[in-house]
Amino acid sequence: MRADFQSWVASQQSRFEDVLHELLPRAEVAPQRLHEAMRYAVLDGGKRVRPLLVFAAGELTGADAARLNIAAAAVELIHAYSLVHDDMPCMDDDVLRRGKPACHVQYDEATALLVGDSLQSLAFHLLAEHRLNDDATRQLEMIKLLAVASGSHGMAGGQAIDLASVGKALTLPELEFMHIHKTGALIRAAILLGAHCGSVAPAQPVSAEKLAKLDRFGKQIGLAFQVVDDVLDCEADTATLGKTAGKDADNDKPTYVSLLGIQGARTMAQQLHREALESLAGFGDAAQRLRELADFIVLRKF
Ligand code: GRG
């Protein structure tokens, strides 16, 4: 990984942490325990891959940084909510997240449920409250885009399929369908929201062709993210991942590794990576950060 990319990631992560600090409700404000738990679930942890994708896609369309911050925060809040709920005993039942006790362990289950609910509401509150595009119709489309990506036709739907698949042998297309929804939908939404922040006026919309290519990139890199996640769940240790390693096999979950073997899953990730980069062909230097993020997603060790 190039030093220039590493320092871009570090500076964006640190800057974005301050943005989240400001946007989350203060812990001193009632209801204090809920607000403290929301901050616990979001701050000081995670790779912030989705916000980085928002920023990189925004570079491609010349988007305003303040608008990108709001879009990135909305996506990260949805992601954080999904992790809090996923860790609860009624779902994946895990006690460790981002290297610290899961939210329901640190607080309690009822609080964790409300943390997820409130983070989701806050995401849409932010998108509705701040100007993200000069064209109000386009802004409404952006809100709808995140709603679809998060709901039963996106992430929550993918999670439902995941829960129903335990102990079952899925085919490759079935596994792909699940992950395009569970993991991929939010990653795709991050890229599209970042790009839409840059379509500053109806007279200068991001072209449909550009959006279609970006969407293809998002689909491919979202799936690659999950394939790599499955490989890391087998190969990396708990300390490195900051979450319990080996859970998929323990829970008898169908994964790319259980279906294709480690080498097969690695080959699939490489192929998706190649295809994702091809989708960006023709975008020139403006897409360099997106390309580097694609490399990072596939080559990451945590
Ligand atoms: C509860 C509605 C609902 C959905 C949960 C995303 C999800 C759906 C569950 C998380 C379980 C999981 C391990 C999914 C695999 C891919 C994934 C989303 C990993 C976690 O994302 P990272 O690696 O996490 O970006 P950080 O902590 O770095 O933000």
PDB file of all heavy atoms in Angstrom, residues 167-186:
ATOM      1  N   GLY A 167     -26.823 -23.795   9.110  1.00  0.00           N
ATOM      2  CA  GLY A 167     -26.960 -25.253   9.014  1.00  0.00           C
ATOM      3  C   GLY A 167     -27.416 -25.733   7.645  1.00  0.00           C
ATOM      4  O   GLY A 167     -27.572 -26.925   7.422  1.00  0.00           O
ATOM      5  N   LYS A 168     -27.604 -24.783   6.710  1.00  0.00           N
ATOM      6  CA  LYS A 168     -28.070 -25.181   5.365  1.00  0.00           C
ATOM      7  C   LYS A 168     -26.913 -25.108   4.371  1.00  0.00           C
ATOM      8  O   LYS A 168     -26.000 -24.309   4.552  1.00  0.00           O
ATOM      9  CB  LYS A 168     -29.184 -24.248   4.889  1.00  0.00           C
ATOM     10  CG  LYS A 168     -30.462 -24.412   5.654  1.00  0.00           C
ATOM     11  CD  LYS A 168     -31.608 -23.794   4.874  1.00  0.00           C
ATOM     12  CE  LYS A 168     -32.891 -23.953   5.662  1.00  0.00           C
ATOM     13  NZ  LYS A 168     -33.710 -22.774   5.654  1.00  0.00           N
ATOM     14  N   ALA A 169     -27.004 -25.887   3.316  1.00  0.00           N
ATOM     15  CA  ALA A 169     -26.006 -25.807   2.250  1.00  0.00           C
ATOM     16  C   ALA A 169     -26.561 -24.908   1.154  1.00  0.00           C
ATOM     17  O   ALA A 169     -27.483 -25.311   0.442  1.00  0.00           O
ATOM     18  CB  ALA A 169     -25.712 -27.198   1.712  1.00  0.00           C
ATOM     19  N   LEU A 170     -26.027 -23.687   1.040  1.00  0.00           N
ATOM     20  CA  LEU A 170     -26.493 -22.781  -0.021  1.00  0.00           C
ATOM     21  C   LEU A 170     -25.679 -23.022  -1.281  1.00  0.00           C
ATOM     22  O   LEU A 170     -24.521 -23.430  -1.226  1.00  0.00           O
ATOM     23  CB  LEU A 170     -26.325 -21.320   0.415  1.00  0.00           C
ATOM     24  CG  LEU A 170     -27.140 -20.809   1.600  1.00  0.00           C
ATOM     25  CD1 LEU A 170     -26.988 -19.294   1.719  1.00  0.00           C
ATOM     26  CD2 LEU A 170     -28.608 -21.154   1.464  1.00  0.00           C
ATOM     27  N   THR A 171     -26.287 -22.741  -2.426  1.00  0.00           N
ATOM     28  CA  THR A 171     -25.527 -22.752  -3.668  1.00  0.00           C
ATOM     29  C   THR A 171     -24.755 -21.423  -3.753  1.00  0.00           C
ATOM     30  O   THR A 171     -25.071 -20.469  -3.014  1.00  0.00           O
ATOM     31  CB  THR A 171     -26.456 -22.847  -4.893  1.00  0.00           C
ATOM     32  OG1 THR A 171     -27.287 -21.674  -4.884  1.00  0.00           O
ATOM     33  CG2 THR A 171     -27.323 -24.103  -4.834  1.00  0.00           C
ATOM     34  N   LEU A 172     -23.815 -21.350  -4.674  1.00  0.00           N
ATOM     35  CA  LEU A 172     -23.043 -20.104  -4.835  1.00  0.00           C
ATOM     36  C   LEU A 172     -23.961 -18.917  -5.169  1.00  0.00           C
ATOM     37  O   LEU A 172     -23.833 -17.854  -4.542  1.00  0.00           O
ATOM     38  CB  LEU A 172     -21.960 -20.302  -5.894  1.00  0.00           C
ATOM     39  CG  LEU A 172     -20.807 -19.310  -5.878  1.00  0.00           C
ATOM     40  CD1 LEU A 172     -20.134 -19.250  -4.519  1.00  0.00           C
ATOM     41  CD2 LEU A 172     -19.795 -19.650  -6.965  1.00  0.00           C
ATOM     42  N   PRO A 173     -24.912 -19.060  -6.118  1.00  0.00           N
ATOM     43  CA  PRO A 173     -25.809 -17.919  -6.384  1.00  0.00           C
ATOM     44  C   PRO A 173     -26.631 -17.526  -5.163  1.00  0.00           C
ATOM     45  O   PRO A 173     -26.895 -16.355  -4.935  1.00  0.00           O
ATOM     46  CB  PRO A 173     -26.716 -18.421  -7.516  1.00  0.00           C
ATOM     47  CG  PRO A 173     -25.971 -19.531  -8.145  1.00  0.00           C
ATOM     48  CD  PRO A 173     -25.111 -20.151  -7.093  1.00  0.00           C
ATOM     49  N   GLU A 174     -27.053 -18.492  -4.351  1.00  0.00           N
ATOM     50  CA  GLU A 174     -27.823 -18.159  -3.139  1.00  0.00           C
ATOM     51  C   GLU A 174     -26.964 -17.397  -2.133  1.00  0.00           C
ATOM     52  O   GLU A 174     -27.403 -16.433  -1.507  1.00  0.00           O
ATOM     53  CB  GLU A 174     -28.374 -19.439  -2.487  1.00  0.00           C
ATOM     54  CG  GLU A 174     -29.539 -20.034  -3.238  1.00  0.00           C
ATOM     55  CD  GLU A 174     -29.929 -21.438  -2.750  1.00  0.00           C
ATOM     56  OE1 GLU A 174     -29.087 -22.129  -2.128  1.00  0.00           O
ATOM     57  OE2 GLU A 174     -31.067 -21.848  -3.020  1.00  0.00           O
ATOM     58  N   LEU A 175     -25.709 -17.846  -1.994  1.00  0.00           N
ATOM     59  CA  LEU A 175     -24.790 -17.172  -1.067  1.00  0.00           C
ATOM     60  C   LEU A 175     -24.530 -15.738  -1.549  1.00  0.00           C
ATOM     61  O   LEU A 175     -24.509 -14.778  -0.771  1.00  0.00           O
ATOM     62  CB  LEU A 175     -23.474 -17.963  -0.998  1.00  0.00           C
ATOM     63  CG  LEU A 175     -22.496 -17.554   0.089  1.00  0.00           C
ATOM     64  CD1 LEU A 175     -23.074 -17.857   1.469  1.00  0.00           C
ATOM     65  CD2 LEU A 175     -21.168 -18.295  -0.070  1.00  0.00           C
ATOM     66  N   GLU A 176     -24.348 -15.621  -2.874  1.00  0.00           N
ATOM     67  CA  GLU A 176     -24.094 -14.303  -3.455  1.00  0.00           C
ATOM     68  C   GLU A 176     -25.298 -13.383  -3.235  1.00  0.00           C
ATOM     69  O   GLU A 176     -25.139 -12.214  -2.858  1.00  0.00           O
ATOM     70  CB  GLU A 176     -23.813 -14.472  -4.950  1.00  0.00           C
ATOM     71  CG  GLU A 176     -23.324 -13.207  -5.600  1.00  0.00           C
ATOM     72  CD  GLU A 176     -22.817 -13.467  -6.999  1.00  0.00           C
ATOM     73  OE1 GLU A 176     -21.841 -14.217  -7.151  1.00  0.00           O
ATOM     74  OE2 GLU A 176     -23.396 -12.917  -7.940  1.00  0.00           O
ATOM     75  N   PHE A 177     -26.496 -13.904  -3.440  1.00  0.00           N
ATOM     76  CA  PHE A 177     -27.717 -13.110  -3.239  1.00  0.00           C
ATOM     77  C   PHE A 177     -27.764 -12.583  -1.800  1.00  0.00           C
ATOM     78  O   PHE A 177     -28.044 -11.407  -1.558  1.00  0.00           O
ATOM     79  CB  PHE A 177     -28.956 -13.975  -3.534  1.00  0.00           C
ATOM     80  CG  PHE A 177     -30.255 -13.219  -3.414  1.00  0.00           C
ATOM     81  CD1 PHE A 177     -30.739 -12.455  -4.470  1.00  0.00           C
ATOM     82  CD2 PHE A 177     -30.997 -13.258  -2.239  1.00  0.00           C
ATOM     83  CE1 PHE A 177     -31.941 -11.745  -4.361  1.00  0.00           C
ATOM     84  CE2 PHE A 177     -32.192 -12.547  -2.119  1.00  0.00           C
ATOM     85  CZ  PHE A 177     -32.666 -11.792  -3.188  1.00  0.00           C
ATOM     86  N   MET A 178     -27.434 -13.473  -0.847  1.00  0.00           N
ATOM     87  CA  MET A 178     -27.468 -13.062   0.566  1.00  0.00           C
ATOM     88  C   MET A 178     -26.477 -11.925   0.829  1.00  0.00           C
ATOM     89  O   MET A 178     -26.814 -10.920   1.453  1.00  0.00           O
ATOM     90  CB  MET A 178     -27.121 -14.260   1.460  1.00  0.00           C
ATOM     91  CG  MET A 178     -26.940 -13.897   2.915  1.00  0.00           C
ATOM     92  SD  MET A 178     -26.837 -15.358   3.918  1.00  0.00           S
ATOM     93  CE  MET A 178     -25.089 -15.724   3.848  1.00  0.00           C
ATOM     94  N   HIS A 179     -25.256 -12.085   0.324  1.00  0.00           N
ATOM     95  CA  HIS A 179     -24.222 -11.106   0.668  1.00  0.00           C
ATOM     96  C   HIS A 179     -24.330  -9.806  -0.115  1.00  0.00           C
ATOM     97  O   HIS A 179     -23.935  -8.750   0.378  1.00  0.00           O
ATOM     98  CB  HIS A 179     -22.826 -11.723   0.527  1.00  0.00           C
ATOM     99  CG  HIS A 179     -22.576 -12.695   1.623  1.00  0.00           C
ATOM    100  ND1 HIS A 179     -22.727 -12.350   2.937  1.00  0.00           N
ATOM    101  CD2 HIS A 179     -22.229 -13.999   1.614  1.00  0.00           C
ATOM    102  CE1 HIS A 179     -22.474 -13.401   3.696  1.00  0.00           C
ATOM    103  NE2 HIS A 179     -22.176 -14.418   2.919  1.00  0.00           N
ATOM    104  N   ILE A 180     -24.877  -9.880  -1.332  1.00  0.00           N
ATOM    105  CA  ILE A 180     -25.120  -8.642  -2.087  1.00  0.00           C
ATOM    106  C   ILE A 180     -26.063  -7.760  -1.266  1.00  0.00           C
ATOM    107  O   ILE A 180     -25.968  -6.537  -1.278  1.00  0.00           O
ATOM    108  CB  ILE A 180     -25.703  -8.965  -3.481  1.00  0.00           C
ATOM    109  CG1 ILE A 180     -24.574  -9.381  -4.407  1.00  0.00           C
ATOM    110  CG2 ILE A 180     -26.455  -7.779  -4.065  1.00  0.00           C
ATOM    111  CD1 ILE A 180     -25.020  -9.846  -5.765  1.00  0.00           C
ATOM    112  N   HIS A 181     -26.948  -8.396  -0.513  1.00  0.00           N
ATOM    113  CA  HIS A 181     -27.883  -7.643   0.336  1.00  0.00           C
ATOM    114  C   HIS A 181     -27.252  -7.310   1.680  1.00  0.00           C
ATOM    115  O   HIS A 181     -27.188  -6.156   2.082  1.00  0.00           O
ATOM    116  CB  HIS A 181     -29.184  -8.441   0.515  1.00  0.00           C
ATOM    117  CG  HIS A 181     -29.983  -8.506  -0.748  1.00  0.00           C
ATOM    118  ND1 HIS A 181     -29.646  -9.356  -1.773  1.00  0.00           N
ATOM    119  CD2 HIS A 181     -31.058  -7.807  -1.164  1.00  0.00           C
ATOM    120  CE1 HIS A 181     -30.493  -9.184  -2.774  1.00  0.00           C
ATOM    121  NE2 HIS A 181     -31.364  -8.241  -2.442  1.00  0.00           N
ATOM    122  N   LYS A 182     -26.779  -8.299   2.396  1.00  0.00           N
ATOM    123  CA  LYS A 182     -26.346  -8.088   3.789  1.00  0.00           C
ATOM    124  C   LYS A 182     -25.153  -7.125   3.888  1.00  0.00           C
ATOM    125  O   LYS A 182     -25.167  -6.191   4.681  1.00  0.00           O
ATOM    126  CB  LYS A 182     -25.985  -9.443   4.405  1.00  0.00           C
ATOM    127  CG  LYS A 182     -25.580  -9.346   5.864  1.00  0.00           C
ATOM    128  CD  LYS A 182     -25.251 -10.701   6.437  1.00  0.00           C
ATOM    129  CE  LYS A 182     -23.964 -10.646   7.203  1.00  0.00           C
ATOM    130  NZ  LYS A 182     -23.561 -11.891   7.813  1.00  0.00           N
ATOM    131  N   THR A 183     -24.139  -7.352   3.099  1.00  0.00           N
ATOM    132  CA  THR A 183     -22.926  -6.524   3.181  1.00  0.00           C
ATOM    133  C   THR A 183     -22.840  -5.547   2.030  1.00  0.00           C
ATOM    134  O   THR A 183     -22.404  -4.407   2.191  1.00  0.00           O
ATOM    135  CB  THR A 183     -21.667  -7.422   3.146  1.00  0.00           C
ATOM    136  OG1 THR A 183     -21.870  -8.525   4.015  1.00  0.00           O
ATOM    137  CG2 THR A 183     -20.444  -6.657   3.568  1.00  0.00           C
ATOM    138  N   GLY A 184     -23.227  -6.024   0.836  1.00  0.00           N
ATOM    139  CA  GLY A 184     -22.986  -5.242  -0.373  1.00  0.00           C
ATOM    140  C   GLY A 184     -23.864  -4.008  -0.499  1.00  0.00           C
ATOM    141  O   GLY A 184     -23.410  -2.969  -1.000  1.00  0.00           O
ATOM    142  N   ALA A 185     -25.108  -4.095  -0.027  1.00  0.00           N
ATOM    143  CA  ALA A 185     -26.053  -2.998  -0.276  1.00  0.00           C
ATOM    144  C   ALA A 185     -25.551  -1.690   0.337  1.00  0.00           C
ATOM    145  O   ALA A 185     -25.633  -0.623  -0.296  1.00  0.00           O
ATOM    146  CB  ALA A 185     -27.421  -3.362   0.283  1.00  0.00           C
ATOM    147  N   LEU A 186     -25.011  -1.752   1.540  1.00  0.00           N
ATOM    148  CA  LEU A 186     -24.581  -0.517   2.202  1.00  0.00           C
ATOM    149  C   LEU A 186     -23.290   0.025   1.570  1.00  0.00           C
ATOM    150  O   LEU A 186     -23.102   1.244   1.466  1.00  0.00           O
ATOM    151  CB  LEU A 186     -24.369  -0.792   3.708  1.00  0.00           C
ATOM    152  CG  LEU A 186     -24.430   0.417   4.614  1.00  0.00           C
ATOM    153  CD1 LEU A 186     -25.742   1.177   4.461  1.00  0.00           C
ATOM    154  CD2 LEU A 186     -24.244   0.003   6.075  1.00  0.00           C
TER     155      LEU A 186
END
